[in-house]
Amino acid sequence: MKLTILGCHSATPRTNTNPTSQVLEIKNHMFLIDCGEGTQVELRRNKVKFSRIKHIFISHLHGDHYFGLIGLVSTFQLLTRETELHIYGPKGIKEVITLQLKLSQSWTSYPLYFHELTSKESELIFEDDKVEVYTIPLKHRVYTNGFLFKEKENERKLDINAVLNANINVAYYRKLKQGADVENEDGILIKNETVTKDPVPAKSYAYCSDTAYNEAILPIIKNATVLYHESTFLDKNEVLCEPTKHSTARQAGRIAKKANVSHLILGHFSTRYNGYDEFEAQAKEEFENVLLAKDGKQFEF
């Protein structure tokens, strides 16, 4: 599971800070999460292949999370894309993008599908044989969702020496990987656990930006491998959290601890601050495994 941070700052872009966008690579998928202004430039800078992006997830309709979307959709058209593109986001995302395409007479020649979200409960919005994606209802000034990306359980691993010694026909290898007991060539039932090994544990990534402190998300993100949680403010500006519906680094650390996640990545930093060491320090007073997002930074888990 690989995460590339394209932008991790709040509000407006600057020469050295980009608004929110990131790419998650999981089980051969390349998911684009949020698409702030300048996202396509950062995709190029980080050598992300445009053709691999087939699903885009937009958390909410504040500009620093989607103003780059129309540019990216248009660039795909200029590059003669043929592969379909799926966009998941709040109700209204289809209207705002299609209006721009209509007025500029720039309809895409590739299939463009919108999946508009309105539920205030967590729901499954994408699934294939390897990955599931669920919404995480967040607490912000407008309708907002985070997203939980979950690998499905991996198959068991064959202990090939044990399998051969047990005289099991190759036709039953698939069933063994799926956890079934099978009969060997002599008609003897072979217990699965005697010839297979436990699978690599499935991984998950919880993306939570933007949101005020909200313990209602805990059951959804519980035990996630990685939690990305917004940390717009430091303690000294906590008074701003309520009117803006954002969080402090300390609050992000508290959520990570209560959810029992393995790693916490802090992001969505306010550009009022010159450095980010204090974000890490304050979050670590609540939760130990804290990482800082940075434009262009990659994480592998």
Side-chain angles (χ1 to χ4, degrees), residues 219-261:
I220 306 171
I221 68 173
K222 187 175 177 62
N223 298 324
T225 308
V226 186
L227 166 64
Y228 176 95
H229 195 288
E230 76 126 281
S231 54
T232 306
F233 301 117
L234 294 172
D235 286 350
K236 62 185 178 183
N237 297 118
E238 184 176 355
V239 67
L240 298 176
C241 289
E242 178 54 33
T244 63
K245 294 296 186 289
H246 284 299
S247 302
T248 65
R250 183 181 302 279
Q251 290 171 340
R254 195 170 298 148
I255 287 291
K257 181 177 181 179
K258 289 179 179 288
N260 193 40
V261 304

Side-chain angles (χ1 to χ4, degrees), residues 61-78:
L61 296 181
H62 279 164
D64 56 334
H65 292 257
Y66 88 98
F67 276 176
L69 184 56
I70 184 60
L72 186 60
V73 167
S74 299
T75 293
F76 285 163
Q77 170 66 13
L78 292 172

Side-chain angles (χ1 to χ4, degrees), residues 72-201:
L72 186 60
V73 167
S74 299
T75 293
F76 285 163
Q77 170 66 13
L78 292 172
L79 295 175
T80 65
R81 180 189 179 104
E82 296 179 355
T83 307
E84 61 187 37
L85 179 66
H86 294 261
I87 298 174
Y88 306 78
K91 184 174 176 60
I93 188 71
K94 179 178 181 179
E95 179 183 0
V96 71
I97 296 300
T98 54
L99 178 61
Q100 294 177 84
L101 295 174
K102 174 185 175 181
L103 295 179
S104 63
Q105 298 182 22
S106 303
W107 295 112
T108 63
S109 56
Y110 61 87
L112 181 59
Y113 299 101
F114 291 91
H115 306 265
E116 294 195 308
L117 309 173
T118 58
S119 177
K120 294 183 179 179
E121 303 294 329
S122 179
E123 59 180 338
L124 177 67
I125 59 173
F126 173 84
E127 181 180 19
D128 65 7
D129 60 341
K130 294 182 178 180
V131 177
E132 296 175 330
V133 183
Y134 294 85
T135 57
I136 306 171
L138 299 178
K139 187 178 180 182
H140 196 42
R141 302 192 306 278
V142 296
Y143 176 77
T144 305
N145 285 300
F147 302 101
L148 176 66
F149 302 84
K150 294 178 64 176
E151 294 180 349
K152 290 189 174 180
E153 291 298 323
N154 295 303
E155 292 183 332
R156 296 187 64 80
K157 292 184 175 181
L158 296 182
D159 183 339
I160 196 63
N161 289 329
V163 169
L164 294 174
N165 290 334
N167 197 26
I168 298 172
N169 190 289
V170 67
Y172 293 108
Y173 285 9
R174 167 57 64 184
K175 285 190 174 181
L176 287 174
K177 290 180 179 180
Q178 294 172 344
D181 300 333
V182 301
E183 287 188 356
N184 69 1
E185 298 280 24
D186 304 312
I188 300 172
L189 185 67
I190 305 298
K191 290 291 186 181
N192 187 277
E193 61 268 21
T194 65
V195 292
T196 66
K197 300 177 181 179
D198 289 340
V200 175

Side-chain angles (χ1 to χ4, degrees), residues 2-9 14-23 25 32 37-39 41-48 228 265-269 276 292-300:
K2 179 179 177 181
L3 180 70
T4 301
I5 305 296
L6 304 176
C8 61
H9 296 82
R14 296 187 177 186
T15 55
N16 60 343
T17 62
N18 295 297
T20 301
S21 187
Q22 51 187 247
V23 173
E25 296 180 59
L32 180 64
E37 186 177 347
T39 290
V41 175
E42 295 308 309
L43 286 169
R44 291 186 185 279
R45 194 189 312 277
N46 288 278
K47 296 179 171 57
V48 177
Y228 176 95
I265 301 177
L266 300 178
H268 201 263
F269 307 115
Y276 304 102
L292 291 179
K294 183 180 179 181
D295 295 359
K297 190 170 184 178
Q298 294 184 339
F299 300 93
E300 292 194 30

